[in-house]
Amino acid sequence: MAMKSETRESKKKSVPEMIIVVGASAGGFKEIALLVEYLPAWFKGTMIVANHRLPHESNDLAKILADRARVRVHEPVDDQALECTTIYVGKPNETIEVDDGGFDVRVNTSNYARVHRIDDLFKSVADTVGKNAVGVILSGMLSDGIDGLEAIQQAGGYCIVQCPEDAQYDSMPKNAIERIEPDFIGTTREISSVLMELAVERFNAVS
């Protein structure tokens, strides 16, 4: 029991100062890739991506991000500690949450249409780091992620939404803007600039 307690305590100490969660669905594949491509090598944030894909689809997104990103890209495993300067991308059939600085990863066997993987991730990050959470909603249909973004806002975190006119599918951005008042609304490129500014502010990083 002591060993488990020490492990959990260690994980708590390893929680990054800022966790960025990105949610997207239809049309989001390209937007996520662009967002990551704009981030510089000195970007010290921790980013977790939740993207709606069918369970049988290959995880091309992780490979594409790894080719374009200037920071590390990993597929998280259960109980893995979060690290800075890293982008985490879940597999299509997984739901990812964060708890005390570690990942809670589980295979999704539910009806895909009923899965709220973005909400689950966003809410868990809001509960874990509160005001140090940054939520980003990109292109997508329906409303997964909106409850989670609201949870981040209520926890004092920073909320970002892609401009509906810039999104291939505008339902998720529009629903987010109608539900809450985001801290920033803009194009993918503008969002990447805001994330860099937040990283500079949080980590005193320099380019």
Side-chain angles (χ1 to χ4, degrees):
M1 293 296 291
M3 181 68 70
K4 183 175 181 180
S5 176
E6 291 173 2
T7 300
R8 290 186 63 82
E9 183 63 28
S10 175
K11 285 169 62 177
K12 286 182 180 180
K13 292 180 180 179
S14 70
V15 176
E17 293 185 56
M18 180 174 69
I19 299 179
I20 301 163
V21 282
V22 179
S25 185
F29 195 101
K30 177 183 176 182
E31 300 300 337
I32 295 168
L34 287 174
L35 181 66
V36 167
E37 189 173 7
Y38 292 143
L39 298 178
W42 56 260
F43 183 74
K44 295 184 180 181
T46 299
M47 180 181 290
I48 310 171
V49 176
N51 182 39
H52 277 236
R53 288 163 290 160
L54 295 174
H56 64 270
E57 290 181 328
S58 62
N59 197 22
D60 290 338
L61 180 57
K63 297 176 183 177
I64 290 174
L65 296 190
D67 288 339
R68 297 192 181 195
R70 298 179 179 88
V71 299
R72 295 169 296 190
V73 177
H74 291 316
E75 294 178 348
V77 297
D78 192 48
D79 208 37
Q80 177 182 359
L82 280 71
E83 298 180 4
C84 294
T85 320
T86 306
I87 298 169
Y88 295 96
V89 184
K91 296 178 181 178
N93 65 336
E94 291 179 343
T95 294
I96 302 172
E97 295 182 33
V98 172
D99 181 17
D100 293 335
F103 281 103
D104 178 8
V105 179
R106 58 188 184 277
V107 175
N108 223 325
T109 57
S110 303
N111 183 307
Y112 184 77
R114 299 178 182 175
V115 173
H116 288 264
R117 63 170 61 198
I118 304 174
D119 279 331
D120 292 343
L121 172 61
F122 280 31
K123 289 177 181 178
S124 71
V125 170
D127 289 342
T128 302
V129 297
K131 65 180 182 180
N132 293 328
V134 179
V136 181
I137 291 292
L138 300 176
S139 173
M141 299 178 68
L142 303 179
S143 59
D144 183 22
I146 312 310
D147 288 344
L149 193 66
E150 185 175 41
I152 288 176
Q153 184 180 65
Q154 292 175 348
Y158 197 91
C159 297
I160 299 173
V161 177
Q162 183 179 10
C163 177
E165 292 77 15
D166 185 58
Q168 184 175 353
Y169 293 88
D170 62 9
S171 293
M172 278 174 53
K174 280 185 174 179
N175 285 327
I177 293 170
E178 289 176 1
R179 174 78 69 85
I180 70 170
E181 184 175 341
D183 296 289
F184 182 80
I185 302 171
T187 65
T188 304
R189 182 180 288 276
E190 291 170 338
I191 290 171
S192 67
S193 296
V194 171
L195 294 179
M196 286 187 282
E197 291 173 5
L198 291 172
V200 170
E201 177 184 316
R202 193 59 51 87
F203 299 102
N204 292 318
V206 294
S207 57

